[in-house]
Amino acid sequence: MRPREAFQVRRSGGPAETRSRGVRRPARIVKIHHELWIAAVVLGVIVVVVGGLWMAGRDRKKEPEAASERKAESDPAERMVWQGPVPPEVVENFTKATTHAERLRWVRHPEEVGPLMERFFREGPGATEKILETVPIGARGSGAMLHENYHVVIENGPPRLISVSVDPQGAKVDFKAYARHGSESWERLLSGEVTSADEMRVLLYPGGFYLHRFADEARWLHFEARSPDLTEPMDFYVDRDSKAAVEMGRIEGTPLQVTVSLRAVEESAKYRQFEITALKAEGWSEP
């Protein structure tokens, strides 16, 4: 008797069969199972790749929509419905105006600033200044109002600032900022003719000069004050414990472009020294 070991029997016209220990296992079934497993793996890979591409395409489609929604939420100006010209047009209309009546249409608080503006362009600096160009320099807040600012290049003269209120009810120029208006003249303050001023527009640089009535460095904080309307710098001081000092401490950048209230302390005017008693506005525009 032959040993019961594995051997193959090939039948005529049929597949080979494998026998082992009396158990019959067709080779075709094993082969088919192997092929089905490979096909399942390939199909799974295809599904994953196609699904991933579909998801990526859907996300890319949603990104512009989401970006638009975020922009609309974060940029209120996008939702504004303007009445009248937008700020760049207002700047052009103001600078190209040739009469007081034309300029009056493009300024904030025309009843208040009208007489000041008329004198400025009739007998003040505006009577002879020639504007060469205006350059946008960005937006800035003043109180609850946002302003678009423009650098104004003047022929043979110091530059000016045009500050336009970003107001959908009607964008307007802040004339006091343009004229660097002060409630008193620098000449009257320096001469001692007047000892205080409620509204003066200056640029402040950090300093370290303590002398005369402001020699106590522990009490006073010093700034060097400059203006295109001054031939030399002045020395301004603010009490370190005052509200004005706290408010000014929150302003970033150098120089500080501010509107302040001033007063002379005894004979300090003759030394070009003044105390800052209040911060009227951050910047030269009215809040």
Side-chain angles (χ1 to χ4, degrees), residues 78-240:
E78 293 293 325
R79 301 192 299 271
M80 289 181 178
V81 179
W82 283 90
Q83 297 182 17
V86 294
E89 296 177 273
V90 171
V91 170
E92 182 175 8
N93 292 340
F94 177 78
T95 56
K96 297 294 176 62
T98 57
T99 67
H100 176 65
E102 289 176 349
R103 295 187 192 96
L104 209 57
R105 294 178 56 195
W106 307 113
V107 296
R108 294 179 69 193
H109 313 307
E111 299 83 4
E112 176 188 347
V113 305
L116 300 174
M117 187 170 65
E118 187 173 22
R119 288 195 300 271
F120 178 86
F121 284 101
R122 186 183 64 239
E123 56 196 47
T128 55
E129 287 180 346
K130 180 181 178 181
I131 296 175
L132 298 180
E133 66 173 328
T134 58
V135 181
I137 55 175
R140 183 172 186 172
S142 179
M145 181 67 70
L146 182 67
H147 300 266
E148 281 194 15
N149 294 323
Y150 296 78
H151 180 84
V152 184
V153 181
I154 304 294
E155 184 179 51
N156 300 321
R160 291 194 177 275
L161 171 73
I162 291 184
S163 185
V164 183
S165 58
V166 181
D167 184 353
Q169 300 303 313
K172 295 296 177 65
V173 170
D174 190 309
F175 173 73
K176 288 185 176 182
Y178 180 79
R180 298 188 291 269
H181 171 73
S183 56
E184 293 290 348
S185 70
W186 293 115
E187 291 76 13
R188 281 163 55 86
L189 281 166
L190 289 168
S191 69
E193 186 176 348
V194 294
T195 59
S196 64
D198 183 62
E199 182 182 344
M200 303 300 289
R201 289 167 169 80
V202 290
L203 299 170
L204 299 181
Y205 296 80
F209 180 74
Y210 298 92
L211 199 63
H212 307 301
R213 297 297 303 175
F214 302 97
D216 187 355
E217 186 174 350
R219 177 181 177 186
W220 302 105
L221 183 62
H222 172 249
F223 292 94
E224 184 180 278
R226 300 182 187 179
S227 167
D229 301 316
L230 288 170
T231 56
E232 297 178 37
M234 300 171 65
D235 296 302
F236 285 4
Y237 299 85
V238 60
D239 192 313
R240 293 179 183 271

Side-chain angles (χ1 to χ4, degrees), residues 22-40:
V23 178
R24 181 179 297 176
R25 295 182 180 177
R28 171 180 278 183
I29 294 177
V30 174
K31 185 177 180 180
I32 290 174
H33 285 178
H34 180 69
E35 291 174 350
L36 288 174
W37 181 84
I38 293 175

Side-chain angles (χ1 to χ4, degrees), residues 7-18:
F7 64 92
Q8 287 188 342
V9 178
R10 181 174 298 276
R11 295 179 179 176
S12 176
E17 294 181 353
T18 301

